[in-house]
Amino acid sequence: MYDLGAGGLKIGMKTIAGDSLIRTSENLVINNHIHDGGRIFHSAIGIWVGQSPRNRFVHNHIHNFYYSAFSIGWTWGYGPADAAGNVVEMNHVHNIGVMSDGDGPILSDLGGIYTLGNHQGSVIRQNVFHDISARVYGGWGIYLDEGTTGMRVENNIVYRTAHGGFHQHYGKENIVRNNIFAFGKEQQIQRSRPEKHTSFAFEKNILIWNDGKLIQGNMRDGDAVFDWNLYWPIKGEFIADSMKLKQWQQRGFDRHSRIADPLFENPESGNFHLKNDSPALALGFEPIDVAKVLSEKPMSESDIRTTLSGQPRRLLYNN
C-alpha cells in the first residue's frame, strides 16, 4: 500500500462495542509494505487500531508517514478500554515525521508506535524503529501515552530519534526490558508525569548517545524502577535528572547498572551487533537478531506459525 492520501490500515472503532459479536479482534496483519502515506491528510497513520484487542502485527515494513506508523488504543487515561493483548513484533519502521527525501517534519507529538489506555497482555517486541522526527516536540520511537498500562516493550532497537527512543507520558506497570536506545538528539528517554504508582520498570537496556540528555522529566520520586542497564555517553557523562551515577544509585536507581562502551559493531550505521566481550552480556542483556526483521523477503508460513506459537488458523498471503 503506497502513495496514500491518508493511512494504510484501520482496525476497530473509537467506541467499545457493546455486543461482543460485533467487536473487531484477533486479526493477523503480516508481511505488508505500507509507505508514502498522509499525502492529503498528513496526520494519517500507517496502521491504526482503536478499541480492538488481541491483534497481531508481524513483519510489516512501514515508512514515509508524516505522523505515527502504529497507533493502538483509543482511551485516554485509566477508563474502560478494549485494546489489550495486541502484539506488535518484527516490524521495520523508519522515516516517520520526516520523509526519506528530507521533506518535513510538519507535525508534532508522534511516534514510531503510539499507544493509549489499558494494554494488559500487549507486547511491542523485536522491532526496529529509526529516523523519527517532529516539528516542535514528540519525535519519539516508542511512545506510551496517556494511561498506557500493562505494556511490555522488549528486544527492540530504536535509533536516530529527535526527542528520544522511549517516552511514557503517564501510565502504570509497564515493562521496558532488553532494548537498545541509541542516538536520541534531545534526550534518550522521557517520563512526563509522576504518579503515585510504578510508572514502569526499565531493566537490561543499552543506551548510547552523543548529544542531549539521558532522561527528560522528574524521576526523583522513585515511582519507576531502573536497574541492570548499560549506559554509554560517547561525548559526555552520565547525568540522570541532574544527578551523576553515584547520586542516582543512592536514590535506589540502577544499583547494578554500568557506564561502559557496549562494543557494537558499527552503531552509527545502524549495526548494533554486540561483540563477544561486550559488558552488556555480563549484565544479562540478550542479543537482538533483526536479520529477519530487516529482510524484504516475506516470512514463510512455517516461520509465521512458529511466531504465532502454533495458532490454529489458516494463513492466506501472497508469496
Side-chain angles (χ1 to χ4, degrees):
M1 291 176 272
Y2 63 97
D3 195 19
L4 306 169
L9 182 66
K10 179 179 180 181
I11 296 177
M13 303 181 293
K14 295 180 180 179
T15 57
I16 299 175
D19 184 345
S20 62
L21 294 178
I22 63 169
R23 176 186 300 151
T24 303
S25 65
E26 300 181 48
N27 297 281
L28 306 179
V29 181
I30 302 172
N31 286 338
N32 297 283
H33 189 186
I34 306 173
H35 62 100
D36 293 282
R39 297 296 199 181
I40 298 172
F41 298 98
H42 301 319
S43 59
I45 292 163
I47 296 178
W48 182 92
V49 183
Q51 304 287 5
S52 178
R54 299 183 303 281
N55 303 288
R56 299 190 76 143
F57 305 91
V58 184
H59 197 245
N60 300 289
H61 185 189
I62 305 175
H63 60 99
N64 282 6
F65 277 83
Y66 290 106
Y67 201 53
S68 302
F70 285 94
S71 179
I72 304 179
W74 204 252
T75 297
W76 277 255
Y78 300 114
D82 195 23
N86 281 294
V87 177
V88 180
E89 60 186 335
M90 298 184 69
N91 300 283
H92 183 197
V93 172
H94 62 96
N95 290 101
I96 302 299
V98 61
M99 301 294 189
S100 56
D101 64 2
D103 185 29
I106 59 175
L107 298 173
S108 295
D109 199 32
L110 58 93
I113 183 167
Y114 170 90
T115 66
L116 285 167
N118 182 13
H119 275 276
Q120 292 291 342
S122 291
V123 184
I124 302 168
R125 65 183 171 213
Q126 205 174 352
N127 303 283
V128 178
F129 301 93
H130 63 93
D131 295 289
I132 298 170
S133 188
R135 186 174 67 87
V136 179
Y137 74 98
W140 294 298
I142 298 173
Y143 181 7
L144 309 187
D145 200 12
E146 304 197 23
T148 298
T149 296
M151 179 71 75
R152 194 161 79 249
V153 177
E154 60 187 13
N155 301 330
N156 301 284
I157 297 178
V158 188
Y159 64 99
R160 288 201 300 262
T161 57
H163 302 101
F166 170 72
H167 173 219
Q168 179 170 308
H169 179 186
Y170 69 89
K172 61 182 179 180
E173 299 168 5
N174 300 301
I175 296 173
V176 183
R177 180 180 297 151
N178 211 88
N179 304 281
I180 296 170
F181 298 107
F183 306 126
K185 185 176 180 181
E186 292 196 2
Q187 58 266 340
Q188 311 316 305
I189 59 177
Q190 181 172 351
R191 199 278 309 275
S192 295
R193 181 188 296 181
E195 294 182 301
K196 294 188 180 299
H197 53 238
T198 301
S199 294
F200 55 81
F202 193 87
E203 302 172 328
K204 296 185 180 180
N205 300 289
I206 302 175
L207 291 88
I208 178 172
W209 68 101
N210 285 312
D211 306 302
K213 297 179 180 180
L214 170 57
I215 297 174
Q216 173 67 30
N218 181 355
M219 299 298 304
R220 292 169 177 259
D221 294 333
D223 51 355
V225 177
F226 285 79
D227 209 356
W228 300 101
N229 299 299
L230 184 68
Y231 300 98
W232 186 235
I234 297 173
K235 295 182 180 179
E237 60 180 335
F238 179 102
I239 300 290
D241 199 358
S242 76
M243 292 176 280
K244 294 186 178 181
L245 181 60
K246 185 175 181 180
Q247 297 169 299
W248 179 247
Q249 290 175 326
Q250 288 171 348
R251 290 269 182 173
F253 299 115
D254 279 314
R255 289 184 173 174
H256 301 93
S257 300
R258 290 187 58 194
I259 301 172
D261 186 342
L263 301 179
F264 291 123
E265 289 287 351
N266 191 350
E268 288 79 7
S269 67
N271 183 348
F272 294 95
H273 180 76
L274 290 168
K275 297 178 182 178
N276 292 334
D277 53 347
S278 168
L281 302 176
L283 289 171
F285 186 86
E286 297 180 7
I288 304 170
D289 183 1
V290 295
K292 290 183 178 180
V293 178
L294 301 179
S295 173
E296 294 297 324
K297 181 180 179 181
M299 294 178 66
S300 67
E301 185 163 344
S302 61
D303 282 345
I304 292 170
R305 290 191 180 279
T306 299
T307 301
L308 299 178
S309 301
Q311 184 171 340
R313 178 185 294 240
R314 187 181 179 194
L315 303 174
L316 301 178
Y317 62 93
N318 185 359
N319 276 319

